[in-house]
Amino acid sequence: MDKSKKSSVLACVTGQYDCDRIIKTASEIAESKNMPLHVLCVLKTTENYGSLSNELEYLYQTAKTVNADMTVLFSDNAPKAAADFAGQIRCRRMVSGMHNGEMTGFLVLFNELRSEIPITMIDKDKAIYSMEPINEKV
């Protein structure tokens, strides 16, 4: 990892048009913290990418309008891929859609791997929820 990189904000999106709300909210957070924004989409290695091309292009253009890089990774383990990427970019806040309620869902597993990173979630109505790390002293 390049330690000279500036701390950043990470927006995790899926191949859906309405993930633009995640990029836009993450951009506001990044701007308020004077940090660069990175947008990440992790696709399963077996996914039909052609069916997502319009959505991914739209999200790429949305990222571009807020001066963010967008990276697409291919992995069957999205939480680990995102956690590894978060480490590479020195992520200090991750922004995503809402938790799906499953104990094996993306956000739960990401949080297990990167519990030090606060998570901001945006629901479909654009309501914002944040989960801050708990610093426990043992």
Side-chain angles (χ1 to χ4, degrees):
M1 179 173 70
D2 180 8
K3 297 220 183 253
S4 66
K5 277 188 183 176
K6 189 174 183 178
S7 296
S8 63
V9 173
L10 174 61
C12 288
V13 299
T14 58
Q16 300 174 59
Y17 288 111
D18 68 350
C19 284
D20 61 352
R21 74 188 190 284
I22 296 168
I23 296 171
K24 291 170 184 173
T25 300
S27 172
E28 292 169 8
I29 292 169
E31 189 175 317
S32 74
K33 296 181 178 298
N34 193 28
M35 292 181 185
L37 171 63
H38 297 273
V39 179
L40 176 66
C41 181
V42 181
L43 299 175
K44 290 186 178 190
T45 54
T46 58
E47 199 148 354
N48 178 359
Y49 311 120
S51 67
L52 297 173
S53 61
N54 290 338
E55 291 88 340
L56 291 174
E57 179 62 24
Y58 171 73
L59 295 173
Y60 171 79
Q61 291 300 329
T62 302
K64 197 172 168 182
T65 64
V66 295
N67 298 314
D69 294 330
M70 181 168 164
T71 302
V72 177
L73 297 177
F74 301 92
S75 174
D76 291 327
N77 188 340
K80 182 173 181 342
D84 291 347
F85 187 79
Q88 293 169 10
I89 64 164
R90 296 189 65 208
C91 175
R92 297 296 172 256
R93 164 111 14 217
M94 193 270 274
V95 183
S96 74
M98 291 300 294
H99 172 46
N100 65 3
E102 296 177 14
M103 292 311 295
T104 58
F106 174 82
L107 288 175
V108 171
L109 297 176
F110 178 90
N111 188 55
E112 286 176 3
L113 295 166
R114 291 286 180 181
S115 61
E116 76 281 5
I117 298 176
I119 298 173
T120 297
M121 299 164 282
I122 297 96
D123 72 11
K124 300 277 185 186
D125 295 322
K126 299 180 185 169
I128 299 172
Y129 305 88
S130 286
M131 189 168 70
E132 302 299 321
I134 297 173
N135 297 321
E136 294 183 22
K137 300 221 182 215
V138 180

